[in-house]
Amino acid sequence: MLPVEGSGDTTGPFAVPEAAPEGAPPMPRVAGPALAVRAGGGISGVVMALGADQQSIGRDPGCDLFLDDVTVSRRHATIAMEGMTAVLEDLGSLNGTYVNRRRIDAPERLADGDEVQIGKFRLAFIA
């Protein structure tokens, strides 16, 4: 990762490179909305299909999307479908939740291709 210089908008002592790392898996093709892990924690390529129910994301093994790293809070965020729109919400995590490199403080509607960063994990929203 690249060192951070004068930026308070990252989740740790690193910054997200502008492009996907070399050798990163291509964006998976799925039917319906999903979150795909693009980088971080050795789980690149994992895809979580989004259903009608709210789904949890965090370091707790009981979360729907388990992200095992200390940069992720136990109950970090939730994602829910509201009609045809996915809404991501940070649950007061220590390191924050980012959409397209911008920290979110309120529920955020996602568009196809949006990048979500949770701790050191980078995910892509697929509509």
Side-chain angles (χ1 to χ4, degrees):
M1 295 291 177
L2 303 173
V4 174
E5 294 181 17
S7 172
D9 292 340
T10 62
T11 61
F14 54 86
V16 177
E18 288 300 316
E22 190 172 315
M27 188 161 320
R29 300 287 180 226
V30 294
L35 272 181
V37 179
R38 300 283 291 153
I43 62 169
S44 295
V46 169
V47 177
M48 178 178 75
L50 302 177
D53 295 331
Q54 183 179 67
Q55 293 172 290
S56 58
I57 303 168
R59 191 168 33 100
D60 185 317
C63 286
D64 297 303
L65 181 56
F66 174 55
L67 301 176
D68 189 18
D69 188 79
V70 297
T71 61
V72 178
S73 296
R74 283 181 173 78
R75 306 281 297 167
H76 197 102
T78 60
I79 189 164
M81 293 302 295
E82 293 181 0
M84 296 301 291
T85 304
V87 178
L88 178 69
E89 182 175 5
D90 184 83
L91 298 176
S93 66
L94 180 61
N95 291 321
T97 300
Y98 295 77
V99 174
N100 299 324
R101 296 181 178 82
R102 180 181 47 80
R103 188 172 183 152
I104 62 170
D105 295 319
E108 179 87 8
R109 294 180 181 279
L110 299 178
D112 188 41
D114 278 350
E115 180 182 83
V116 174
Q117 183 179 349
I118 295 177
K120 70 177 187 179
F121 295 87
R122 286 187 302 131
L123 306 100
F125 173 68
I126 305 165

